[in-house]
Amino acid sequence: MSAILIETFTILLFALLLMVGILIGRTRSLFAAVMMSGIFSLLSASLFVVMDAVDVAFTEAAVGAGISTVLMLVTLHLTTDKESPPVKPQTLPLLVSLLTGGALLYATADFPAFGIADAPIHTSATAAHYIHQSYGDSHIPNIVTTVLASYRGYDTFGETTVVFTAAVAVMLLLGGSSRKSIVETIEKEDPIALVGAKMLIPYILLFALYVQFHGDFGPGGGFQAGVMFAAAFILHGMVTNLKATQAAASIRAVGYLIPFGVLLYGGTGFLCMALGGQFLEYNVLSHDPVHGQHYGILLVEAGVGITVFSAILMLYYQFALRGRQ
Amino acid sequence: MSSLTLVGAVIVLFGTLICLIGGVGLIKLPDFFARTHAGGVTDTLGAGLTILGMIVLAVAFDGPLDYRVLVVIKLVSIAVLLLVTSPIAGHAVARAALEQGVGMDTIPLEMLRQTRFAQDIPRVQLEGTIADQKAQCEGCLLSLNEYATLTSREQLQIAYLRPPFNETQASEFHSQFQSIIETRSGFATKDFLPGGLDSNAVLLKLAVEEALASLAKEATS
């Protein structure tokens, strides 16, 4: 019964995804396309939930449906919300899209069927090791957190660096943080939105802290928490004006926080080395290896959270402060 | 199945029914604001009832007490979140549409006057050439081009809220075309223009165009 239900849900969600994808391709209003890409992300997040990948769903909902929609809208504010019609029929882009799509479709033939027991992921020794050893190694119930922050700490360090690099690239492209802001304040503050935001922001921050520090036990962690922290500030910036938001989180401080998170992550790794272990080998951080794992994961998750928060807030600042030119 | 479970199921069913009604309204209702109303109001009640039903179901659920309490707490916090965000989202959509001038032709003037938007709508004093004026009208509730396409009496009333010309231009229009308007357009302008003709050149322009159109029609027939 429940298997049929899950299959039905999966098919339904995929059908909706396809529909939204076609609609995004067809519409010429970029505003509608942005909104529908938000819906696309939300549907993907629902799919991930159906497939029991709650951590991924969490990230997709927060980043895809939340933050990237806001960033796209801010970009539309800078440019225009109408797609300019193509001058001539674009055959090359169509060909490239079709080829890429075809290659991806061809690749899916090699995938194991959804949910079968002898898929490589279930038979590999690494996965078995994670499942059997992770609780003994670190006493952390959420295997995803252990895998991300400890077993594959290098990967996550790389991802944090990617976020850092993205923020730096946007800052360079959009003129840097030292530039004088030319923001036009919003003409009318909407009191209803303001009151609503005031009611919500403390709880968003509280929930972000919960997600940050409860990631060991449930879905969540530094990435999601960082996005939520940034979302609270962005919401504040949207309902008031950016001057008030910058009083709370100045652009200079946020700029310092971006590398600070990466340094915290890398510093934890070097601390492990200084204490006689290898890079990011948390066991040596405390007299008890399990405690060491806890400290290490706490520190690197904090690093991830700080970098993601400050990078996303910086992206928003950079776009919103640029003003209409 | 206990009677409490049944009650919970019925409440959930009602909630989904209201969501369905909202969906139908979203498709069937005539204009933007009515649709927003259908979406926003039914969304709040539908989601609220669904969550209420789920709370009843959680209470009726045959399981450990702490587990049920936890589920109820989670559901209540979701309900509170929806109760705050859903109406605000509806409000934001409607407000943004109103500021963009969506569907202004269907709102009677008296209704507009009673809202605070009547004062908010800025009365621009335009200067320079027609091209300049068009540029200044960018982002106004109605652009100059849109004024030119207004036809109904109600639309003219709305247009009164946003005269795009200044007083001098208005009196010019007045002096030039007064007789044509009064004989041809059939509009008794003072009915909907308490400030008098001088304050609204758009109306004059429109009336003139109507009058000229009817003149042209007569000429061809």
Side-chain angles (χ1 to χ4, degrees), chain A residues 188-193 195-197 199-200, chain B residues 81 84-85 88 91-92 95 99 116-117 120:
Chain A
K188 284 167 286 185
E189 284 179 7
D190 185 349
I192 294 175
V195 169
M199 285 165 78
L200 288 176
Chain B
L81 187 76
V84 175
T85 53
I88 292 176
H91 161 80
R95 188 189 163 107
E99 281 176 6
R116 47 184 290 277
F117 290 105
D120 281 358

Side-chain angles (χ1 to χ4, degrees), chain B residues 5-219:
Chain B
T5 312
L6 197 69
V7 171
V10 168
I11 298 177
V12 170
L13 197 69
F14 261 114
T16 48
L17 196 71
I18 284 170
C19 286
L20 188 72
I21 293 171
V24 172
L26 219 55
I27 297 167
K28 290 290 245 183
L29 284 177
D31 70 34
F32 176 83
F33 291 100
R35 288 179 184 182
T36 315
H37 175 79
V41 174
T42 56
D43 193 33
T44 311
L45 189 62
L49 273 182
T50 314
I51 288 171
L52 185 71
M54 286 196 274
I55 290 173
V56 174
L57 283 176
V59 170
F61 182 68
D62 188 22
L65 183 69
D66 54 345
Y67 173 78
R68 288 186 288 166
V69 169
L70 201 63
V71 169
V72 169
I73 290 174
K74 283 177 184 172
L75 285 170
V76 167
S77 27
I78 293 173
V80 169
L81 187 76
L82 279 178
L83 215 61
V84 175
T85 53
S86 183
I88 292 176
H91 161 80
V93 169
R95 188 189 163 107
L98 198 58
E99 281 176 6
Q100 292 290 312
V102 174
M104 291 304 284
D105 47 349
T106 55
I107 303 177
L109 178 65
E110 281 312 310
M111 224 170 103
L112 261 185
R113 282 240 177 83
Q114 283 159 15
T115 66
R116 47 184 290 277
F117 290 105
Q119 287 90 51
D120 281 358
I121 297 167
R123 287 163 178 261
V124 279
Q125 290 294 317
L126 297 174
E127 282 152 25
T129 64
I130 290 292
D132 287 343
Q133 292 175 4
K134 275 187 180 167
Q136 288 169 60
C137 269
E138 274 307 285
C140 287
L141 210 60
L142 293 171
S143 71
L144 208 59
N145 284 337
E146 284 168 312
Y147 276 112
T149 55
L150 296 181
T151 47
S152 77
R153 185 192 178 98
E154 228 168 34
Q155 285 172 325
L156 292 174
Q157 289 181 335
I158 301 300
Y160 169 62
L161 289 169
R162 294 291 298 277
F165 296 150
N166 60 34
E167 297 288 321
T168 330
Q169 289 166 316
S171 54
E172 268 175 34
F173 263 114
H174 185 205
S175 56
Q176 281 179 21
F177 297 110
Q178 186 184 23
S179 61
I180 309 179
I181 296 153
E182 289 185 352
T183 52
R184 291 289 175 179
S185 71
F187 285 125
T189 47
K190 65 179 189 306
D191 285 357
F192 51 93
L193 290 180
L197 280 176
D198 289 343
S199 67
N200 197 303
V202 187
L203 180 74
L204 295 169
K205 179 168 170 277
L206 290 163
V208 167
E209 280 171 2
E210 274 202 17
L212 293 175
S214 61
L215 276 173
K217 206 179 267 176
E218 272 179 26

Side-chain angles (χ1 to χ4, degrees), chain A residues 76-154:
Chain A
L76 286 190
H77 179 70
L78 288 179
T79 57
T80 169
D81 58 357
K82 283 276 177 292
E83 186 181 354
S84 52
V87 193
K88 55 178 191 243
Q90 306 270 323
T91 44
L92 187 68
L94 182 71
L95 211 67
V96 170
S97 312
L98 285 178
L99 271 177
T100 316
L104 288 174
L105 274 180
Y106 177 69
T108 55
D110 287 343
F111 280 7
F114 174 55
I116 62 167
D118 56 349
I121 187 83
H122 299 309
T123 54
S124 84
T126 328
H129 179 87
Y130 289 159
I131 290 166
H132 293 125
Q133 299 293 317
S134 75
Y135 193 76
D137 283 348
S138 60
H139 285 220
I140 287 175
N142 187 2
I143 300 177
V144 177
T145 300
T146 328
V147 171
L148 272 181
S150 182
Y151 291 127
R152 305 182 62 181
Y154 285 123

